[in-house]
Amino acid sequence: MKNSNHNKGFLLIVLVLGIQAINGQTVFGKWKTIDDKTGVTKAIVDVYEKNGLLNAKIVKVLEEGREDALCIKCEGELKDKPVQGMHIMRNFKKNGDGEYKGNSLLDPENGTTYKGKVWLDGQDSNKLKVRGYVAFLYRTQTWHRVTDAQ
């Protein structure tokens, strides 16, 4: 009986560690965005899967004084809409390299939509690389996974 309880405890530990390892290695979840030029923390973005595709929306603006920001430089239906709640990535497809690529990566600061690519940092799965492209030029930001402790 004693050995059976020991095995159950060991199995529980392995299961918990396995779940943590799986959760720590996915692009999905909440991420804190950091401006690559200024180092300013901007927002919390929820990266989620819908119909097998990666999507993302801003769930909270963190930048002081910009909590109620509007997308004044956006065009069309997004013009003057709140940045908080705005979808900034739509329908990115996963490729064989563990990257997600798509044609709809919105920067609400300048109202521009870019082609984009998203992948986990190879050294730290709590960092997400987000790259926007214009022709052969690109810009990459590193976002940080939001943990329950934050």
Side-chain angles (χ1 to χ4, degrees), residues 16 24 27 32 36 62 81 123 131 142-143 148:
V16 168
V27 299
K32 188 183 303 182
D36 58 305
L62 299 174
K81 296 294 185 205
Q123 304 298 313
R131 179 173 291 169
T142 300
W143 296 359
D148 292 335

Side-chain angles (χ1 to χ4, degrees), residues 24 26-36 39-47 62 118-121 124-130 140-148 150:
T26 178
V27 299
F28 301 111
K30 291 195 171 69
W31 298 89
K32 188 183 303 182
T33 68
I34 312 291
D35 188 293
D36 58 305
V40 172
T41 301
K42 297 287 201 168
I44 301 293
V45 173
D46 183 19
V47 178
L62 299 174
V118 176
W119 71 97
L120 287 177
D121 184 305
D124 185 348
S125 62
N126 287 316
K127 292 182 180 177
L128 185 70
K129 299 294 186 172
V130 179
T140 306
Q141 288 187 347
T142 300
W143 296 359
H144 300 265
R145 189 181 302 278
V146 175
T147 62
D148 292 335
Q150 293 177 318

Side-chain angles (χ1 to χ4, degrees), residues 3-149:
N3 193 24
S4 175
N5 285 339
H6 180 70
N7 287 343
K8 287 179 186 175
F10 178 75
L11 183 60
L12 180 62
I13 289 170
V14 169
L15 182 62
V16 168
L17 291 175
I19 290 170
Q20 286 179 339
I22 291 168
N23 286 340
Q25 295 184 0
T26 178
V27 299
F28 301 111
K30 291 195 171 69
W31 298 89
K32 188 183 303 182
T33 68
I34 312 291
D35 188 293
D36 58 305
K37 292 180 181 175
T38 65
V40 172
T41 301
K42 297 287 201 168
I44 301 293
V45 173
D46 183 19
V47 178
Y48 62 95
E49 184 178 359
K50 182 178 178 184
N51 299 324
L53 301 171
L54 179 145
N55 293 272
K57 71 176 181 177
I58 298 172
V59 293
K60 185 171 185 181
V61 175
L62 299 174
E63 187 177 3
E64 192 173 322
R66 305 252 321 138
E67 296 86 359
D68 297 319
L70 302 177
C71 194
I72 57 174
K73 294 184 179 179
C74 288
E75 296 179 359
E77 65 184 35
L78 296 178
K79 177 91 173 129
D80 297 324
K81 296 294 185 205
V83 171
Q84 188 161 301
M86 190 168 279
H87 286 86
I88 59 169
M89 282 186 241
R90 291 188 186 271
N91 302 325
F92 278 44
K93 294 179 185 177
K94 187 175 185 178
N95 68 18
D97 297 328
E99 300 172 337
Y100 290 79
K101 293 183 178 183
N103 293 322
S104 183
L105 172 60
L106 173 68
D107 182 346
E109 292 225 355
N110 63 26
T112 304
T113 300
Y114 302 94
K115 288 184 177 186
K117 180 167 87 168
V118 176
W119 71 97
L120 287 177
D121 184 305
Q123 304 298 313
D124 185 348
S125 62
N126 287 316
K127 292 182 180 177
L128 185 70
K129 299 294 186 172
V130 179
R131 179 173 291 169
Y133 293 92
V134 174
F136 60 89
L137 301 173
Y138 63 87
R139 179 174 161 196
T140 306
Q141 288 187 347
T142 300
W143 296 359
H144 300 265
R145 189 181 302 278
V146 175
T147 62
D148 292 335

